Amino acid sequence: MYQPQRYIAHLDLDSFFVSVAIISRPELKGKPVIVGGSRDRGVVTSCSYEARKFGVRSAMPMKQAMQLCPHAILVRGTRGEYSHFSNWVTNIIASKAPLFEKASIDEFYIDLTGMDKFFNPLEWTIALREDIIRETQLPISFGLASNKMIAKIATDEAKPNGYLFVQPGKEKEFLAPLPVNKFSGVGQQTFLKLKSMGIHLIGDIVKFSESELEKELGKWGTDLYKKAQGIHYGAVKPYREAKSISTENTFEENIAEKEKLLKELARMTEKVAYELRKDEKLCSCIAVKIRYPNFETTTKQTTIALTCSDDELIPVAKDLFHQLWKTGKPVRLLGVRLSDINGNALQGNLFTDTKKKTDLYKAIDDVKDKYGKTSLTKAGIVGLLKKKNTKK
Ligand SMILES: [Mg+2]
């Protein structure tokens, strides 16, 4: 059977959260920058290449990161800013790519298989990368190869701000000199096991037979054998818009007081509802998550009528909280997630009967946009609107 040559591009924005911060604060360029949570209990979300030189890595506890690089500049980003830039890049890709997958907020796969009849896949991807950089000012790297796995590793090798094409047929050759932990899923334990077998580089893996690897490592051994040959069949999954909006908060100190927790829950629900309205969407599912100091985590969700209103969502969130919470037990983390997102909240007929309410939220959100998200509570704006009305 005829199999067309596959071409898969993997694009990844370079230290995305840091790059976004640099756009509004150019003085951060070239400095060790860490984006993440609180110094005490947070983790590193992203870090600049200058911070990486000190050993700082994503997902590392902030405490450890600040020990490694005490002079790092700590930045707390905002979700709205990230999704704005992420959507911008997504739209550029969507306008040009025949089939693409959004693998994460800053990572994309494009399937160019069959396109080589019409254009050169490498030249096409180079042009796309230049368009993204020119329009958004964000640095982005890509790998182009015959499958997703090789393309992703190629991107990693191309970073920062570069690209790499692994020609079809050269996959094994490309992989051979790379360390085994370039494969996703090779954790510290497997790494040590492989080391004990004399396997340091991917090229060392293929010195063993498939059955030898299986004997030592089980099913993972056969997987590894295939990967080392450069074999991977994963398909590019067509992009669909995000189906949920969520927020989580790890507290500086565990909270056990009910009133404090409910207040925080309401604030978080307001935050996700605001984002929902920004996207002009409605949701019909809400979930609440509680994590205790021992990391025991529980979640409860419920279905509701389509809404984007704080005053419909907050009581449901509180109700879920009461069902979940082991009364009096300190809480380490709270989370709220809205899902089953669809519809169009601010257009169409869905809200004609509650137009007043929609207008009210629109007014709140406009003020939030202008003066920051904590500037106004609903009670505050109701007063403001009343005053406005009496003036007329
Ligand atoms: Mg990235």
Side-chain angles (χ1 to χ4, degrees):
M1 206 182 88
Y2 169 72
Q3 289 281 354
Q5 177 58 53
R6 292 172 79 207
Y7 288 97
I8 311 283
H10 173 261
L11 293 90
D12 193 326
L13 291 151
D14 299 332
S15 49
F16 174 56
F17 296 90
V18 174
S19 302
V20 167
I22 289 172
I23 287 179
S24 51
R25 294 172 61 186
E27 72 275 11
L28 295 176
K29 200 170 182 173
K31 305 244 167 72
V33 176
I34 297 177
V35 180
S38 75
R39 270 167 203 269
D40 271 353
R41 295 163 51 109
V43 293
V44 175
T45 316
S46 177
C47 57
S48 67
Y49 286 89
E50 291 76 15
R52 279 175 215 200
K53 281 179 199 153
F54 292 87
V56 179
R57 294 286 179 271
S58 292
M60 178 182 274
M62 285 297 286
K63 235 181 187 164
Q64 190 186 349
M66 294 310 287
Q67 274 162 7
L68 288 167
C69 189
H71 60 296
I73 302 162
L74 194 55
V75 173
R76 285 222 196 199
T78 65
R79 196 198 131 105
E81 223 179 0
Y82 299 141
S83 46
H84 166 74
F85 281 99
S86 176
N87 291 341
W88 193 354
V89 175
T90 309
N91 289 339
I92 297 170
I93 293 173
S95 70
K96 297 172 200 285
L99 168 62
F100 77 101
E101 170 181 342
K102 188 168 181 173
S104 73
I105 193 166
D106 67 341
E107 209 186 333
F108 306 84
Y109 290 97
I110 304 175
D111 194 341
L112 294 165
T113 306
M115 294 297 135
D116 51 328
K117 289 196 238 43
F118 309 104
F119 49 73
N120 176 311
L122 177 60
E123 283 170 17
W124 185 90
T125 318
I126 291 172
L128 173 67
R129 173 174 173 262
E130 284 169 357
D131 284 343
I132 293 169
I133 296 172
R134 193 180 50 248
E135 284 191 38
T136 66
Q137 309 295 315
L138 293 171
I140 186 165
S141 303
F142 78 81
L144 178 66
S146 59
N147 65 51
K148 282 171 93 173
M149 176 188 77
I150 304 282
K152 189 175 164 76
I153 297 173
T155 304
D156 208 34
E157 292 304 294
K159 276 176 176 292
N161 215 1
Y163 62 85
L164 189 63
F165 176 40
V166 179
Q167 287 187 22
K170 304 274 185 194
E171 293 83 359
K172 218 170 133 177
E173 216 172 291
F174 162 69
L175 291 174
L178 301 176
V180 283
N181 54 6
K182 286 281 168 182
F183 285 138
S184 63
V186 175
Q188 192 59 21
Q189 226 175 335
T190 315
F191 187 74
L192 291 174
K193 172 79 187 163
L194 291 170
K195 205 173 152 190
S196 75
M197 293 166 70
I199 297 174
H200 303 275
L201 305 176
I202 294 174
D204 297 329
I205 296 172
V206 289
K207 291 173 188 161
F208 290 78
S209 72
E210 195 173 342
S211 55
E212 281 172 313
L213 287 165
E214 193 182 0
K215 209 177 123 218
E216 293 291 335
L217 297 153
K219 197 194 161 291
W220 175 231
T222 21
D223 274 2
L224 215 50
Y225 182 79
K226 284 203 189 79
K227 283 184 169 182
Q229 316 280 334
I231 298 170
H232 186 262
Y233 296 111
V236 173
K237 301 178 198 102
Y239 169 68
R240 278 183 212 93
E241 274 190 80
K243 288 280 191 321
S244 75
I245 294 176
S246 62
T247 185
E248 286 188 359
N249 192 6
T250 305
F251 302 126
E252 301 278 335
E253 275 170 38
N254 302 326
I255 301 178
E257 298 96 301
K258 187 163 111 185
E259 287 314 310
K260 262 193 187 170
L261 287 165
L262 288 176
K263 203 172 155 196
E264 180 59 18
L265 186 73
R267 190 194 62 78
M268 291 168 77
T269 310
E270 275 176 15
K271 183 172 172 246
V272 283
Y274 165 78
E275 282 172 24
L276 188 68
R277 293 191 298 272
K278 280 278 117 186
D279 285 351
E280 305 193 338
K281 296 278 161 54
L282 302 164
C283 75
S284 62
C285 185
I286 175 167
V288 169
K289 175 170 164 182
I290 294 177
R291 177 170 295 151
Y292 297 103
N294 64 355
F295 279 82
E296 179 194 345
T297 307
T298 49
T299 308
K300 201 164 183 78
Q301 66 176 45
T302 189
T303 306
I304 45 170
L306 277 172
T307 184
C308 65
S309 304
D310 297 356
D311 57 338
E312 283 167 31
L313 290 164
I314 290 170
V316 184
K318 286 184 174 171
D319 188 42
L320 288 171
F321 173 83
H322 283 124
Q323 290 178 49
L324 263 183
W325 189 41
K326 294 178 183 165
T327 310
K329 206 171 171 195
V331 172
R332 177 186 165 87
L333 168 149
L334 263 188
V336 179
R337 191 184 81 237
L338 306 178
S339 58
D340 290 358
I341 289 169
N342 52 47
N344 197 328
L346 306 176
Q347 294 166 13
N349 301 325
L350 266 162
F351 269 71
T352 40
D353 53 333
T354 52
K355 186 161 186 321
K356 245 187 194 164
K357 201 193 262 175
T358 311
D359 287 348
L360 169 63
Y361 279 114
K362 178 108 187 42
I364 296 177
D365 292 347
D366 286 348
V367 178
K368 279 183 177 171
D369 287 346
K370 218 166 160 189
Y371 299 107
K373 285 173 189 161
T374 53
S375 57
L376 266 189
T377 61
K378 194 163 57 181
I381 193 126
V382 170
L384 200 104
L385 286 181
K386 273 183 191 155
K387 265 182 221 157
K388 229 180 174 178
N389 287 340
T390 49
K391 264 185 203 163
K392 274 182 191 169

